[in-house]
């Protein structure tokens, strides 16, 4: 299948957004080259640059819904997070999203103004960084909780996504070996049963979560407070513990990595226990939320690696991660994860 010309699509999107007022000087691909989403920097002759995100991943309705929620979140967050999130450009009071369609293919574009960046965390954190980060995420989650009732409704949640995965397997819409189908269906059922056990739909508070936290997509102030954040590929409304797995990787002993895997082991490291203790001091966790940590990790592998991986990740990464899921992630989840360690650490 012939690739879409993203540069030309972005030019069409800008023309619709701005008319002929500002002529584009250049469109430059600044993508991280991990996912199938692309980010471009657009320079102009007579205005400051903007960034464009273009995607074919997922569907337009979900993309639009997520970015509307994100923009509402960015506008409503209280001090000191009122300028933390990069905001999309708006046209005539509405979030601007350009939809391109060509035969059986579509792509959609959203524009952002550049966001200021302060300090990046080091690849391997010292204990003082880990403690500060735990406290800061707790404060940020509190701020997100405070505005969650003001945000537009999300049409999807972790339950509906896993149910969608099961339907796709039964309809053979996802290509996999028969033995793998049984394994995925079994893990999907485990997730649904355990989510029901903690009364996910009625007892677990839902807030906006960004999920994919790594040292390359947020910056901090000199004293360790969140300063700016960009990249919302996996944004969703969910339990706050959905953010924990990626922070366990950031604070892990080996540190954040460019060559990555999604092993469960970082959730059991003593360094992550230190992170959770500091988080718990600011925004205490409940036993059901702690029990949910394993399940949202399971959800992450099922949803983002197995279900969406072939569409979201570039081929090299999706092939690698799916293979590791069957060989390593699922077996290690049962063998190496012990919720008792977290409960004991937090004295719950």
């Amino acid at each position: 299948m012939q690739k879409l010309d993203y540069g030309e699509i972005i030019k069409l999107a800008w023309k619709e957004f701005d008319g002929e007022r500002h002529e584009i000087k250049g469109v430059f691909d600044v993508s991280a080259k991990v996912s199938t989403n692309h980010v471009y920097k657009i320079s102009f002759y007579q205005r400051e640059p903007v960034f464009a995100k273009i995607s074919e991943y997922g569907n337009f309705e979900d993309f639009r819904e997520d970015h509307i929620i994100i923009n509402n979140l960015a506008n409503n967050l209280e001090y000191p997070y009122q300028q933390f999130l990069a905001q999309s450009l708006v046209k005539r009071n509405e979030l601007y999203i350009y939809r391109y369609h060509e035969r059986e293919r579509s792509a959609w574009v959203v524009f952002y103004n550049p966001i200021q960046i302060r300090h990046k965390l080091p690849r391997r954190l010292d204990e003082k960084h880990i403690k500060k980060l735990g406290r800061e995420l707790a404060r940020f989650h509190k701020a997100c909780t405070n505005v969650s009732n003001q945000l537009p409704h999300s049409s999807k949640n972790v339950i509906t996504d896993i149910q969608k995965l099961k339907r796709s397997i039964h309809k053979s819409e996802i290509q996999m070996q028969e033995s793998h189908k049984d394994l995925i269906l079994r893990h999907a059922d485990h997730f649904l049963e355990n989510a029901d056990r903690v009364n996910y739909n009625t007892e677990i508070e839902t807030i906006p979560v960004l999920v994919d936290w790594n040292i390359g997509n947020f910056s901090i102030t000199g004293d360790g407070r969140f300063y700016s954040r960009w990249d919302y590929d996996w944004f969703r409304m969910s339990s706050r513990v959905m953010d924990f797995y990626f922070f366990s990787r950031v604070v892990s002993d080996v540190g954040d990595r460019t060559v990555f895997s999604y092993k469960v082991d970082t959730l059991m490291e003593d360094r992550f226990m230190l992170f959770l203790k500091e988080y718990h001091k600011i925004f205490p966790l409940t036993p059901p939320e702690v029990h949910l940590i394993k399940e949202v990790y399971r959800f992450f592998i099922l949803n983002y690696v197995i279900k969406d991986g072939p569409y979201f990740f570039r081929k090299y990464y999706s092939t690698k991660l799916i293979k590791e899921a069957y060989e390593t992630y699922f077996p290690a989840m049962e063998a190496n994860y012990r919720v008792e360690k977290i409960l004991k650490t937090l004295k719950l």
Side-chain angles (χ1 to χ4, degrees):
M1 186 182 294
Q2 188 176 2
K3 290 184 178 180
L4 295 178
D5 189 333
Y6 288 164
E8 287 303 311
I9 293 172
I10 286 169
K11 289 176 182 177
L12 290 172
W14 184 258
K15 185 176 180 180
E16 183 182 273
F17 177 75
D18 189 55
E20 305 287 349
R21 178 165 294 179
H22 296 102
E23 183 182 355
I24 291 176
K25 184 177 181 181
V27 178
F28 309 98
D29 191 346
V30 293
S31 308
K33 306 293 193 287
V34 172
S35 79
T36 55
N37 291 338
H38 284 69
V39 178
Y40 288 83
K41 183 178 181 180
I42 310 170
S43 65
F44 302 88
Y45 288 102
Q46 293 186 337
R47 68 154 285 164
E48 294 300 307
V50 300
F51 288 88
K53 174 182 173 180
I54 183 166
S55 177
E56 295 181 69
Y57 159 65
N59 65 68
F60 174 77
E61 288 73 22
D62 285 347
F63 184 91
R64 181 177 182 275
E65 178 180 278
D66 287 347
H67 279 80
I68 289 172
I69 297 172
I70 292 164
N71 241 38
N72 276 266
L73 174 64
N75 279 313
N76 287 21
L77 276 171
E78 62 198 43
Y79 176 86
Y81 306 109
Q82 72 275 25
Q83 293 183 322
F84 177 54
L85 300 176
Q87 291 182 266
S88 305
L89 298 191
V90 170
K91 182 173 183 177
R92 299 192 180 99
N93 294 324
E94 285 192 13
L95 177 70
Y96 178 77
I97 302 176
Y98 177 78
R99 188 175 189 178
Y100 175 84
H101 186 72
E102 179 182 293
R103 296 177 188 170
E104 296 182 357
R105 297 181 66 187
S106 295
W108 29 92
V109 179
V110 64
F111 294 115
Y112 297 90
N113 276 322
I115 193 167
Q116 290 187 324
I117 298 173
R118 284 276 180 93
H119 306 287
K120 297 285 190 72
L121 284 168
R123 287 209 171 273
R124 187 182 186 279
L125 306 190
D126 296 330
E127 279 196 9
K128 65 178 182 180
H129 291 128
I130 295 172
K131 290 180 177 180
K132 284 183 178 179
L133 195 58
R135 294 192 294 269
E136 183 60 6
L137 180 64
R139 286 188 285 260
F140 179 64
H141 277 171
K142 268 192 169 183
C144 290
T145 302
N146 288 345
V147 301
S148 60
N149 286 341
Q150 303 156 20
L151 302 178
H153 175 71
S154 175
S155 62
K156 67 177 189 289
N157 61 46
V158 293
I159 306 297
T160 58
D161 279 350
I162 294 302
Q163 290 170 339
K164 182 179 178 181
L165 169 64
K166 290 183 65 177
R167 288 195 299 271
S168 296
I169 292 173
H170 288 307
K171 293 179 180 179
S172 298
E173 294 172 348
I174 300 176
Q175 299 301 314
M176 62 178 66
Q177 299 174 20
E178 284 300 319
S179 60
H180 289 166
K181 285 185 181 181
D182 293 340
L183 176 69
I184 297 306
L185 289 171
R186 188 163 66 250
H187 276 280
D189 286 338
H190 283 329
F191 172 81
L192 293 172
E193 290 162 6
N194 291 328
D196 186 59
R197 191 167 289 123
V198 299
N199 298 313
Y200 183 87
N201 284 326
T202 57
E203 300 296 326
I204 300 296
E205 187 160 22
T206 297
I207 70 168
V209 291
L210 299 168
V211 184
D212 179 15
W213 291 84
N214 62 71
I215 62 171
N217 63 21
F218 71 98
S219 73
I220 58 172
T221 63
D223 61 355
R225 302 298 297 268
F226 288 159
Y227 182 74
S228 56
R229 162 75 204 228
W230 52 97
D231 182 4
Y232 310 128
D233 287 343
W234 289 339
F235 171 85
R236 66 187 305 121
M237 300 295 292
S238 187
S239 165
R240 55 182 168 146
V241 303
M242 182 72 77
D243 275 342
F244 283 172
Y245 175 62
F246 273 81
F247 275 102
S248 79
R249 297 169 81 246
V250 171
V251 305
S252 67
D253 192 41
V254 297
D256 209 358
R257 305 171 294 289
T258 51
V259 179
F260 60 90
S261 290
Y262 293 135
K263 297 178 181 177
V264 74
D265 304 50
T266 55
L267 286 171
M268 290 288 96
E269 286 191 23
D270 290 342
R271 292 163 66 88
F272 184 57
M273 298 304 114
L274 179 62
F275 173 92
L276 285 180
K277 283 174 70 174
E278 296 300 313
Y279 180 103
H280 191 63
K281 290 176 184 176
I282 303 294
F283 196 5
L285 292 156
T286 65
E289 286 176 316
V290 171
H291 281 281
L292 195 61
I293 293 173
K294 177 182 179 180
E295 294 312 313
V296 296
Y297 169 77
R298 192 195 309 269
F299 170 86
F300 173 75
I301 302 303
L302 289 170
N303 190 69
Y304 292 112
V305 175
I306 301 298
K307 181 170 76 71
D308 290 350
Y311 310 101
F312 176 77
F313 292 107
R314 298 196 179 197
K315 185 172 179 57
Y316 165 78
Y317 289 105
S318 67
T319 302
K320 172 183 180 292
L321 294 171
I322 290 170
K323 183 174 184 289
E324 289 179 353
Y326 294 125
E327 294 178 354
T328 306
Y329 305 161
F330 289 124
M333 189 192 315
E334 305 307 327
N336 300 344
Y337 186 86
R338 293 290 179 270
V339 68
E340 295 79 13
K341 180 173 182 177
I342 299 178
L343 291 167
K344 183 177 178 181
T345 295
L346 301 182
K347 300 179 180 178
L348 292 174

